[in-house]
Structure formats: structure tokens, C-alpha cells
Amino acid sequence: ESELSQLAAALADPTCRLLTLLGAGGFGKTRLAICLGERAMAAPEQFPDGVFFVALEGLEGGEFLVPAAAAALAFSFYEQEDQERQLLGYLAPKRLLLILDNAEEILDPDVVLRMLAAAPGVRLLVTSRESLNLQQEWLHPIGGMDVDSANNSGGEEDRRDRQQPEPDAVLLFRQCALRVQPTFDLERELVHVRHICRLVEGAPLAIELAAAWLKALPCSQVARELTRGIDLLATSMRDVPLRHRSMRAVLEQSSGYLAEDEQQVFRQLSIFEGGFRLEAAQAVVEAPLRVLAALAAKSMLQLDPDGRYHIHALLRQLGAEHLAARPAEMAACRARHAAYYMSFLAERREPLAGKGQMVALREIQEEMDNVRAAWFCTAAQGSLLSLRKAQPALFRFLWMRGRYAEGEQLAHQALESSHAETLTDEDQLVRIALAAQAAHFAGAMGSYDRALAGASMALAAAQRYDIAGEMAHCHYVLGMLQAYLLDEEAAIANLSAAYALYLTQDDPTGTAEAAGQLGFNLWALKGELESASALVEESLDRYRALGNQFDLADALNQAALLQWYAGDVEQAERLYQDSLHTARAVGNRLVALQAVGGLALVAMAREQWGLA
């Protein structure tokens, strides 16, 4: 409905004479154009001379466009006169909408231009896999149907309470499923239906073909089979056009329109997961801008308004199959992809700890699918030195976003891909850092025994190799774990050791973290308010100097609690407000919650204890 509204608005614009619905095969361009034409017929004041549909499928050249259009218009040619001139003369006074379906079959822009010039009251609505590449053309790319509606973000009970409809893709699946299974229960199968719709990214033909399998397979099995490949998406129904009986055939037909260099770039672009930006495509695939533009014009790529390219999941799967058929090419492409994203992470290490935090967080989040694939590839190849450059930014990002389980998994995956007895000393340093990170994440999830064992082993290894930076990190992780477990002496000893080592390493971020946690725990575990306040204040100063707003929010929260405990309620309130404002600005939800709790403590102190 939203697309129909947009298209109707475009056709109502007097400057829009040529509107092209652009998309790969199987995405519903024809059906959408027909629906738009039907609505136009229901309001004849815009097109008083009618709406006409010209089917161009199967035509073999531009010379057939004129007779096909004449047939749709029920116009008869005179024998002696040029046919195009006759048709243009007929159209000249008309006010009508002409739908040219499957225009890539004839793709003769010159005829289209002459038609527009001769008949100012005629509008052309074109469906095509490829742009006509005309200045007058208005493009409307057609992707998959809505899979996750914005109004469907709530839970199941929430949705039923507000009577919100399911996304378009889910509703289409239900409509198709009821044709073959009259007892189909959408509510019971909703999880599997959504999975299917996401796997095909809302491609209407793929949804129809998948739903047709319900006469032979349960919905859960259809979803499982789809994860193995697109060959399930086929039918033998007699009333389905031959070109739509197999999703593979439809997609292969789309890729068949590509030139040889376009085919090579497209299959190599399938190495990207979750989309990519121009600079990544040029670095990994060496894709010329000219070829990227051609792929977008032929509906093989989609360009988001923010400048990010996407390949539909089904097209990407087809490209990946073509790339896998060339093992040497695939290996080289995968290696370039991994190297690019390892460097991408390394470049964001400093911004994540300073003034560029929010930009770096957004950039890594956007590329996380590619980052994860690159990490696995690099780890599988045993390239620990590449991981060493990338791991600080990756693990800091995951920590800042509360993705602890993923962080532990990625660290362990890299550890399991390398064998300690065959590694160099430099490789061992990477393993120590990975083990410490895994322990830190495990502790954040409450797995204290596993975390303590991992951090203790990492510390012993760091001491054996005498690596001050990793010793500091291991002491810090152990100290935090012991603080959670209320092991006062051990926690203070390890946090003090971390603080001292970070100072000697001239590590401002590590020093700020250790100072803040040491100070806070001196008060929380031992009641030493004065020395605690000095260390927390030092932490605040260092975070401010770095421009590290994310961790500053936490330090402000700690400072506020110390002021509240000391009885300075006004200062505590100011610090809690600063902490809340800063935490919200950088998306630190946990600290924002803690700050709200702190403001409740301030209110309690004023109302119940009478403190000013």
C-alpha cells in the first residue's frame, strides 16, 4: 500500500512522464503495475482515454514494441504508412496511461522518447530489470516485501492487544498457504513463516513458491530446506508461467543480462555479508564505479539513501554459488575481504576510546556481519597477528554494546583455531589477550568460575612472557571478578596492580578504567571514602581529556554515589543528571538505568531523611 501511494503520487506529478519500476525477476513489478493501473482506471479523470497494458515478454527486439502497443490499444494500422508514425499520430491527442511490462525484453529507448515527444498527454509506466537510462525517467526500485514492519516490533501479546497486522510478506505467505492447506494456522506457524520470509528477504515469487510446498512439507521443514539453498523454490503448477516456475531460473535470467566484467564483479561482491560501501567494494573486489552503476541499473544491487549497497539474499546466494565454482578466485577474494575488515577494526581502536566514539560505534555496527565473517576467516587461517591488530576495537565495541556472549564466543573461536605448541612468542601474546577477553565477558555474564580460571591462566602466561600491558589487563579482569565476589583483599590488590602497570605503560584508557574501579571498590569494599574519591576524580579527568563519553557516564555515576554517601545530595544530584544525560547520548543503557536509580536515592534522601 505504501508503494502504491508513492507511485500514484509520482504519476500525479505533471513532470513525471516516464516511471520505471526497477527490480530483479520475481519481485512483483508486474503485479504492482497492474494494481496501479486498476486504481488509475477507478479514477478516470486523470486518464480519460484509459489505461492499457502492453506485454513485452518474449519479444525479440525494439521493432516489436510498436505492434505490441497497437494491439493493446486495439489500434489497426493502415497498410501503406509507416507503423510507428501511425501509432504516434493516434496517441498524440490522447490522455492515457500505457504500461510497458518487461521492457528489458526490447529496451529501445529511442521509441520511448519519440512516444513521449509526440504524445504529451501520455504517461508511460514501465516494468524492467534494467533502467532505460533516460533523463526523463523516474526510477522506483522494487525490493522485497516488508518482513519486519516498524509497527510489529512488540511481542505477540502486545501485537494482539493493539490489533496490529503482520508485515506484508507474512500476510502474503498466509494467503498462499491457505490455497494448499485450508487449515493453515498462521499464529501456530508464525515463527517459521517469519524465518522463511526473512530467508527470501520478502521476494514475493519466492514466498509463493515456498508456501506451495506446504502440501508436502510442514512449515518448519520448508524453512530448514530453504537454509540449504534456493532449489526448493520451484513448482510444476501448470498455470504458473514457465519463467516463474523456478526461482533459480528467474535469478539466472537476471544475471544473464550482465556483461562478462559485470558477472565477475557481481559474483565477487557476494563475499560481502550485510551489504557494503563503495570503498570496501573497490578495496576487496576492485570494482570500478562504472560496473557498480551498471549492476544497480540492472537491479542486481540496491543503493540505500545513506550510500550503502545491498544485494538481495537470493541474488547473493546465486552469486556465491558462481564464486564457489572458482575456488582460487574465491580464496583470493575471501583473503582480501578478511584483510580489509581487520584493518577496518584496527583503524577504529583509538576513536572508540575517544571523541570519535559514536561514529566508530555506528560504523562497526553497520559492518558487523562482514566483521564477523572476516574474524572467522582470519582465525581459521591462524593469522593471529592480524587478530591482534583488530581485537581491541572489536572487543571494546562488543563490551560497549553489552554483547558479552558474542564476545566470549569470538575469543574462544580464535583460541581454538590456533595450537599453542606451534606458535611464536608474538602469537602467544595474542592468545593471552584473547583468553583475558574471554574471561572478562564470561564474568560479565555471571560465569565467575569459568572467568576466574581463564583470567588466572592468562595472567600466569603474561607474567611468564613479561608483557606488562597484558599483565595489567589480566589484573584488571581478576580484580573486577573478585570485587563481584566480595573478595576484598584480592580485588584491591589486583586492581592496584592493574593501575600501577597501566601508569607505567602510559595507557590513558587503561589507567582511567583502573583508577575508577579501584577507587569505587576502595569505598564499596573497604569504606575508604577519601582515597576512593581522589581516584574516581582522576578517572573523570582522564575520560574528559580523552573525550570518552561512554565511560565518562559510568565514572560520573560512581562519583555521584560517593557524594551521596558523603551527604552532599545537591552535588550527587548534579552528577547523576550529568551521568544520565551522557549515558543517553551515547546509548549506554545500563548506566542510564543506574543513574535513574541514583536520582531515586537523592529523592529518598530529601524526602525521608530531610537532607538538602
Side-chain angles (χ1 to χ4, degrees):
E1 289 296 330
S2 63
E3 288 187 312
L4 283 170
S5 298
Q6 293 170 21
L7 293 167
L11 286 178
D13 189 322
T15 65
C16 179
R17 301 279 316 286
L18 171 62
L19 177 59
T20 299
L21 307 187
L22 187 67
F27 282 79
K29 301 184 297 296
T30 298
R31 198 173 299 187
L32 191 59
I34 290 172
C35 189
L36 190 63
E38 289 172 345
R39 294 194 178 191
M41 289 174 66
E45 63 277 1
Q46 186 179 6
F47 301 110
D49 292 314
V51 177
F52 300 89
F53 184 86
V54 184
L56 301 175
E57 181 191 356
L59 301 185
E60 297 180 355
E63 66 271 18
F64 294 102
L65 172 57
V66 169
L73 291 160
F75 171 73
S76 297
F77 292 112
Y78 305 109
E79 291 185 6
Q80 301 300 321
E81 195 174 343
D82 177 79
Q83 290 189 348
E84 182 180 320
R85 187 179 302 124
Q86 292 179 59
L87 178 65
L88 296 182
Y90 173 78
L91 290 173
K94 303 292 186 184
R95 290 174 57 199
L96 56 82
L97 176 64
L98 202 58
I99 301 173
L100 305 179
D101 187 46
N102 289 307
E104 72 278 351
E105 298 284 351
I106 53 97
L107 208 64
D108 190 343
D110 292 336
V111 177
V112 172
L113 281 174
R114 290 193 291 270
M115 198 176 288
L116 292 172
V122 170
R123 303 286 181 91
L124 299 181
L125 175 62
V126 175
T127 75
S128 180
R129 288 180 169 94
E130 185 172 352
S131 165
L132 298 179
N133 200 27
L134 295 174
Q135 193 172 8
Q136 295 187 55
E137 185 178 31
W138 288 38
L139 291 176
H140 188 97
I142 302 296
M145 300 177 78
D146 185 18
V147 175
D148 294 297
S149 295
N151 63 349
N152 275 353
S153 57
E156 298 304 316
E157 294 182 5
D158 181 55
R159 182 177 297 111
R160 284 195 293 270
D161 290 344
R162 290 182 285 173
Q163 296 182 330
Q164 294 177 339
E166 289 295 333
D168 291 341
V170 171
L171 295 178
L172 176 62
F173 188 96
R174 176 182 179 274
Q175 183 183 86
C176 298
L178 288 170
R179 295 176 192 162
V180 297
Q181 192 181 98
T183 59
F184 179 77
D185 185 340
L186 178 61
E187 186 173 348
R188 185 183 63 215
E189 303 287 1
L190 189 56
V191 171
H192 304 304
V193 172
R194 284 185 181 159
H195 188 199
I196 291 168
C197 291
R198 290 191 183 107
L199 285 170
V200 301
E201 287 190 5
L205 177 60
I207 290 171
E208 292 182 344
L209 294 173
W213 275 97
L214 293 184
K215 61 179 179 286
L217 295 173
C219 202
S220 58
Q221 186 65 34
V222 172
R224 279 195 296 273
E225 291 295 327
L226 268 179
T227 61
R228 297 172 185 165
I230 62 175
D231 288 327
L232 180 77
L233 300 174
T235 183
S236 57
M237 291 183 179
R238 295 189 179 110
D239 60 345
V240 175
L242 283 173
R243 65 191 178 96
H244 280 174
R245 290 187 185 179
S246 162
M247 199 70 204
R248 177 178 293 280
V250 170
L251 298 177
E252 291 281 13
Q253 187 179 21
S254 292
S255 68
Y257 287 98
L258 303 182
E260 188 174 343
D261 59 341
E262 293 166 358
Q263 289 181 0
Q264 177 181 330
V265 168
F266 178 74
R267 66 175 177 262
Q268 291 187 7
L269 288 174
S270 69
I271 205 74
F272 289 101
E273 300 191 15
F276 54 91
R277 291 196 173 273
L278 174 61
E279 55 270 24
Q282 291 177 330
V284 174
V285 178
E286 299 178 353
L289 187 56
R290 167 188 59 81
V291 175
L292 290 175
L295 290 172
K298 294 179 180 179
S299 307
M300 303 302 284
L301 288 181
Q302 287 187 320
L303 180 62
D304 289 349
D306 67 351
R308 189 171 178 81
Y309 291 95
H310 286 276
I311 305 176
H312 189 276
L314 298 178
L315 285 168
R316 180 179 173 272
Q317 187 173 345
L318 185 71
E321 289 178 6
H322 291 173
L323 184 62
R326 298 165 172 82
E329 182 179 331
M330 182 175 70
C333 196
R334 186 172 288 169
R336 291 195 300 270
H337 178 272
Y340 177 83
Y341 283 103
M342 291 298 96
S343 296
F344 168 88
L345 286 171
E347 290 165 4
R348 282 150 185 80
R349 176 179 182 174
E350 289 188 13
L352 270 183
K355 296 176 182 177
Q357 257 178 357
M358 297 312 296
V359 172
L361 282 169
R362 185 172 63 251
E363 289 173 339
I364 295 175
Q365 177 62 55
E366 180 181 73
E367 296 291 357
M368 198 56 204
D369 288 338
N370 283 311
V371 163
R372 195 180 295 108
W375 178 268
F376 287 148
C377 179
T378 305
Q381 293 172 348
S383 304
L384 290 183
L385 292 182
S386 296
L387 295 182
R388 184 180 185 184
K389 294 189 300 180
Q391 70 181 33
L394 174 59
F395 291 129
R396 182 167 183 79
F397 166 81
L398 294 171
W399 183 267
M400 292 170 75
R401 285 297 175 244
R403 293 162 68 163
Y404 308 134
E406 185 176 1
E408 186 182 15
Q409 177 199 3
L410 291 176
H412 278 306
Q413 195 273 342
L415 284 168
E416 290 164 5
S417 297
S418 59
H419 302 286
E421 63 275 7
T422 64
L423 302 179
T424 66
D425 286 354
E426 283 192 338
D427 290 338
Q428 296 290 1
L429 309 188
V430 184
R431 287 181 57 84
I432 292 167
L434 289 168
Q437 291 284 4
H440 203 180
F441 285 122
M445 293 184 292
S447 301
Y448 297 123
D449 289 343
R450 186 168 77 246
L452 282 169
S456 298
M457 289 178 61
L459 176 59
Q463 289 170 335
R464 184 164 63 251
Y465 287 94
D466 193 25
I467 318 161
E470 291 309 326
M471 287 165 58
H473 185 204
C474 294
H475 278 300
Y476 177 79
V477 173
L478 280 169
M480 292 298 294
L481 291 169
Q482 289 154 346
Y484 295 147
L485 296 170
L486 303 180
D487 188 346
E488 299 176 11
E489 297 304 324
I492 297 303
N494 274 302
L495 289 172
S496 297
Y499 176 59
L501 283 166
Y502 278 130
L503 279 172
T504 64
Q505 293 297 297
D506 193 24
D507 183 337
T509 300
T511 304
E513 291 175 346
Q517 294 301 336
L518 174 60
F520 183 77
N521 283 289
L522 279 172
W523 166 74
L525 298 176
K526 306 191 74 165
E528 297 180 10
L529 183 60
E530 186 176 347
S531 54
S533 297
L535 284 164
V536 170
E537 195 64 36
E538 177 189 346
S539 177
L540 285 172
D541 291 341
R542 289 182 179 275
Y543 284 135
R544 288 187 178 114
L546 288 165
N548 183 342
Q549 298 295 298
F550 190 91
D551 291 309
L552 176 62
D554 192 20
L556 285 167
N557 198 60
Q558 293 175 336
L561 185 55
L562 294 181
Q563 291 297 327
W564 178 86
Y565 182 79
D568 190 342
V569 175
E570 288 189 5
Q571 178 65 0
E573 184 176 31
R574 280 194 294 271
L575 289 166
Y576 276 130
Q577 290 286 7
D578 286 347
S579 176
L580 179 60
H581 174 77
T582 306
R584 282 176 171 168
V586 297
N588 193 336
R589 292 186 291 176
L590 177 59
V591 171
L593 287 169
Q594 292 170 339
V596 170
L599 289 170
L601 289 176
V602 169
M604 180 180 70
R606 284 184 169 143
E607 294 179 16
Q608 295 187 11
W609 301 345
L611 295 178

